Amino acid sequence: MEKRTLCARRLRAFAEHLRREERAETTVEKYLRDAEAFAVWQRCGAVTKDSVLAWREALLETGLSPVTVNAKLSALHSLLQFLGWEDCRVKYLKIQRRTFRESARELSRQEFGRLLETARHQGRERLELLMETICATGIRVSEVRHITVEAAKRGMAEVRMKGKIRVILLPQKLCRKLLKYAGRQKTAAGEIFLTGSGKGLSRKQIWKEMKSLCEKAGVEPSKVFPHNLRHLFASLFYRASRDIVKLADVLGHSSIETTRIYLISTGKEHARWLDRLGLIR
């Protein structure tokens, strides 16, 4: 029987498998990163259920949250299934459904405004418009590349991922700003948000540029990252429409449960609701 060890050959085959399944490149990179982390931790040892259990405990001991640990296990489980080693899979950590979100990670509309104002004062037009685009449409940072000159002219962008096509409507005011910016950059077609060398912006670069605004804007760094703009969009959209099914469609979620996570209130807001009950004399 062939020894169950994780080598470069098997990891490469796993990556090819994920791409054949039309997984997003960010997903492929994340799964490979987690699988490689397990392989390094294993130190070329044999993969067994006991070793996976030990890795799960080791991750918890480093201070990672149960959600993060489960996400890493999900990546490893996908690899184990691909290799036919399903008997090595372990149970996910049980997590109680949260009723509120930490205020330290909740970006308010006012704080978003300060981030935009700071970018404007620093003359960072691309960053300001990029944040407006993500927050006004609810797109994922990986979908920014679909914001093209053609999309701005049509008033809608088409996102093709995992065999699905999702149409993202672009507000008219945003389209005008996108086309004006593209004109100043002499971008006649294709992606609008590009680096100086003409390449698309990476997730890491967008994250880094947003973080650089925190101090001047007076916003906690824990609140400033691209995905939080999507959360802010979801919150404001739901307050305006009260239609979670429509919101799920707009965000591109296949499950309402995923959308529900975006609508969890902050701890402070939850506490205010409890106070309104008037049950304490």
Side-chain angles (χ1 to χ4, degrees), residues 68-215:
T68 301
V69 173
N70 281 348
K72 291 180 179 296
L73 281 176
S74 178
L76 182 58
H77 283 175
S78 182
L79 170 63
L80 295 175
Q81 182 177 18
F82 166 69
L83 294 172
W85 302 347
E86 287 95 336
D87 56 306
C88 295
R89 295 173 62 166
V90 301
K91 291 183 179 180
Y92 291 105
L93 298 170
K94 291 184 179 180
I95 303 172
Q96 182 180 0
R97 178 178 288 184
R98 299 187 65 177
T99 57
F100 59 86
R101 186 165 57 247
E102 295 176 18
S103 299
R105 291 177 65 83
E106 181 77 3
L107 182 70
S108 70
R109 189 169 192 164
Q110 292 72 26
E111 288 169 329
F112 172 62
R114 295 208 301 272
L115 291 171
L116 292 179
E117 186 178 354
T118 300
R120 188 179 309 122
H121 286 168
Q122 293 180 352
R124 302 168 74 177
E125 183 184 13
R126 183 186 68 189
L127 179 56
E128 179 190 359
L129 184 55
L130 175 59
M131 290 191 297
E132 279 189 310
T133 301
I134 295 174
C135 200
T137 60
I139 61 173
R140 301 176 177 89
V141 68
S142 61
E143 296 170 343
V144 167
R145 62 190 177 88
H146 295 284
I147 304 299
T148 62
V149 172
E150 295 80 3
K153 288 179 178 178
R154 292 194 305 267
M156 64 178 68
E158 281 192 355
V159 175
R160 298 170 183 265
M161 292 183 71
K162 301 179 184 178
K164 298 178 183 178
I165 299 177
R166 180 163 66 94
V167 176
I168 299 171
L169 296 179
L170 307 177
Q172 289 185 359
K173 187 175 181 180
L174 176 62
C175 289
R176 291 195 293 269
K177 294 184 74 170
L178 288 169
L179 291 173
K180 284 182 180 179
Y181 173 77
R184 287 193 292 273
Q185 300 301 312
K186 302 190 186 315
T187 303
E191 290 183 54
I192 291 178
F193 296 107
L194 301 169
T195 64
S197 60
K199 296 181 179 179
L201 295 173
S202 68
R203 178 192 300 267
K204 185 176 181 180
Q205 183 173 356
I206 295 172
W207 182 90
K208 185 177 180 180
E209 289 191 17
M210 285 182 60
K211 290 290 186 183
S212 69
L213 299 173
C214 295
E215 186 176 352

Side-chain angles (χ1 to χ4, degrees), residues 1-18 20 31-32 35-36 39 44-47 78-80 82-85:
M1 176 185 267
E2 188 178 9
K3 188 177 180 181
R4 290 181 171 183
T5 56
L6 293 179
C7 59
R9 174 180 58 80
R10 281 173 169 154
L11 290 174
R12 283 196 301 271
F14 178 52
E16 292 171 6
H17 164 71
L18 292 173
R20 283 197 301 272
Y31 276 30
L32 277 179
E36 288 168 355
C44 299
V47 178
S78 182
L79 170 63
L80 295 175
F82 166 69
L83 294 172
W85 302 347

